[in-house]
Amino acid sequence: MSNSYEPNRLTQDIINFCKNPSEMIFVLSEHSQLISGRKSLAKIPLEKTLIGLILISLDEFEGIARGATPQPDIIGFFSSYTEKLYLTHSFEYSISWYFNANGKDTKFPIEYEEKPTKQMLAAVGRALSVQLKPTIELSNYDINNRNDISWALPVFFDGKAVSTELDDTDMLSYDSKEFVSEQLLRNADYEQYLINPEEWVAQAQAKVMDNSNIKHALARILRRKMEMESIIELVKKDETHFWHKTKRLLEAIQGKKSVLVRLENVEFKMYTEGLDKLNGVYSSYYIHPDDRYKVLTLNNKCSYYEFGICDIKQVLYRGKVIYAG
């Protein structure tokens, strides 16, 4: 595969090392002044176009000749098809390198792309989502029932768009992780993906669909995502919904220590720490001690009183209304 990519000197030296069958060890510090220590690279063949790279100390490598058994740390591979290195990002923390040289910040001296695991699984997830969505029947949720939709509450307040596609994290969920690792992330899968990603995605998708347990496990995750989107979209359209009220209250009390809260039959001073609740349910524990007994008595409670966002008529700060329910 031809491309215009031109690696730096150290990266090119590593690529040449991968291509040269007579070289067995690559001592990193001998090829870059930004790297110190005796950390080295060894290599093993993985597939026709993939050479695996192992991070090993020079002492460990020399110990092999004396019969020692090192613990290999496989950090990725070189693809002769793309002429690039694909490594795990964490290996940067396993070697000693100077991130500041001559008073200037420096980039990590080895140029590489992260192993394409995330891209591979995200691509399969998108393809599976398209195939599975027409088969999924969504549950009906009552958006006015606080308990019915509480599981979607954090996402609503987060404000980010809800994804209705399976992603790489979903593909590695508890029920599917073992299958995905053993069937979709073998060395041959990485090789095929780099050579023909569309063909690999189609084959991986078929493998999942042929496994009933994995297919249904991923369908459950996808259904949950679709139901969450449905709930949040319904709430967004209803400006009177208690989630919107809670959000307005949270914005109103920001930066304030205490406020005056008015309910239908009583008003009291309350610490805003007790109003900083996403679920819109509040406790008398945060009412100022001078007002707490009054509130408990009016509501026929001995020690604890709970009220919700819809019970709040007004919230005042220094005599000014900052929230109206």
Side-chain angles (χ1 to χ4, degrees):
M1 178 181 179
S2 61
N3 58 57
S4 57
Y5 168 66
E6 294 184 5
N8 63 22
R9 177 63 182 272
L10 174 59
T11 305
Q12 187 60 59
D13 286 349
I14 295 174
I15 290 174
N16 293 340
F17 163 71
C18 292
K19 292 180 176 181
N20 188 342
S22 63
E23 288 189 77
M24 302 300 295
I25 190 73
F26 185 95
V27 183
L28 291 166
S29 60
E30 293 179 0
H31 295 263
S32 173
Q33 294 181 340
L34 293 176
I35 298 177
S36 63
R38 294 167 65 82
K39 286 291 186 178
S40 307
L41 296 177
K43 59 188 177 183
I44 54 173
L46 299 178
E47 298 292 336
K48 184 178 179 180
T49 64
L50 298 185
I51 299 295
L53 288 170
I54 299 172
L55 187 64
I56 188 172
S57 73
L58 189 57
D59 295 333
E60 288 176 318
F61 184 79
E62 292 171 347
I64 295 175
R66 301 189 297 271
T69 304
Q71 298 295 321
D73 183 10
I74 300 179
I75 60 171
F77 52 77
F78 164 71
S79 167
S80 61
Y81 180 78
T82 64
E83 293 280 316
K84 292 182 179 181
L85 299 172
Y86 298 87
L87 309 175
T88 56
H89 179 69
S90 59
F91 97 96
E92 291 188 16
Y93 305 102
S94 300
I95 63 175
S96 298
W97 64 284
Y98 300 102
F99 57 87
N100 186 290
N102 298 321
K104 296 181 179 179
D105 290 340
T106 58
K107 295 192 301 183
F108 186 71
I110 302 173
E111 296 174 346
Y112 68 94
E113 293 185 12
E114 282 204 64
K115 285 180 64 176
T117 306
K118 289 185 177 181
Q119 298 95 304
M120 292 165 68
L121 297 185
V124 178
R126 287 192 295 269
L128 287 167
S129 299
V130 173
Q131 189 171 3
L132 289 172
K133 279 183 179 180
T135 70
I136 294 175
E137 184 175 345
L138 302 183
S139 302
N140 292 319
Y141 288 91
D142 179 5
I143 65 169
N144 294 310
N145 184 327
R146 188 184 304 276
N147 295 328
D148 212 20
I149 62 171
S150 61
W151 59 276
L153 184 148
V155 177
F156 173 81
F157 281 92
D158 184 55
K160 295 180 180 178
V162 179
S163 170
T164 56
E165 289 184 340
L166 295 168
D167 57 26
D168 59 292
T169 303
D170 299 325
M171 296 296 296
L172 290 173
S173 61
Y174 178 80
D175 291 324
S176 57
K177 183 176 182 178
E178 183 177 353
F179 172 86
V180 169
S181 298
E182 294 179 355
Q183 299 296 322
L184 306 185
L185 296 177
R186 302 165 303 172
N187 293 329
D189 291 297
Y190 285 103
E191 179 179 52
Q192 185 182 7
Y193 176 79
L194 292 173
I195 294 174
N196 192 329
E198 292 81 9
E199 181 181 272
W200 179 83
V201 168
Q203 292 180 6
Q205 180 182 356
K207 286 182 181 180
V208 172
M209 295 301 292
D210 286 342
N211 188 304
S212 178
N213 291 336
I214 304 304
K215 178 179 70 175
H216 288 122
L218 293 173
R220 286 193 296 271
I221 295 174
L222 183 58
R223 182 180 65 188
R224 194 72 164 170
K225 286 188 163 190
M226 294 169 67
E227 289 174 345
M228 182 176 291
E229 181 197 45
S230 176
I231 290 170
I232 291 176
E233 288 304 312
L234 288 171
V235 171
K236 282 182 178 179
K237 294 175 183 178
D238 182 4
E239 289 294 332
T240 64
H241 192 270
F242 48 83
W243 282 0
H244 288 290
K245 293 182 178 182
T246 303
K247 193 172 185 179
R248 287 194 289 112
L249 177 59
L250 288 171
E251 292 170 351
I253 65 173
Q254 190 172 5
K256 301 171 179 63
K257 185 176 180 180
S258 63
V259 292
L260 184 72
V261 177
R262 285 179 178 166
L263 306 186
E264 184 68 40
N265 59 344
V266 67
E267 65 180 37
F268 47 86
K269 186 177 180 181
M270 186 167 181
Y271 299 110
T272 55
E273 180 185 357
L275 294 172
D276 190 13
K277 310 291 182 183
L278 295 185
N279 65 359
V281 178
Y282 314 110
S283 162
S284 59
Y285 291 145
Y286 296 94
I287 296 176
H288 193 278
D290 292 343
D291 291 340
R292 191 178 303 152
Y293 178 75
K294 174 179 62 175
V295 176
L296 294 173
T297 302
L298 283 173
N299 291 280
N300 299 315
K301 301 292 184 180
C302 295
S303 60
Y304 178 77
Y305 175 61
E306 190 175 85
F307 59 98
I309 184 67
C310 294
D311 297 318
I312 299 177
K313 302 307 177 184
Q314 288 182 331
V315 174
L316 293 83
Y317 180 69
R318 294 181 177 175
K320 180 182 178 181
V321 176
I322 59 173
Y323 169 84

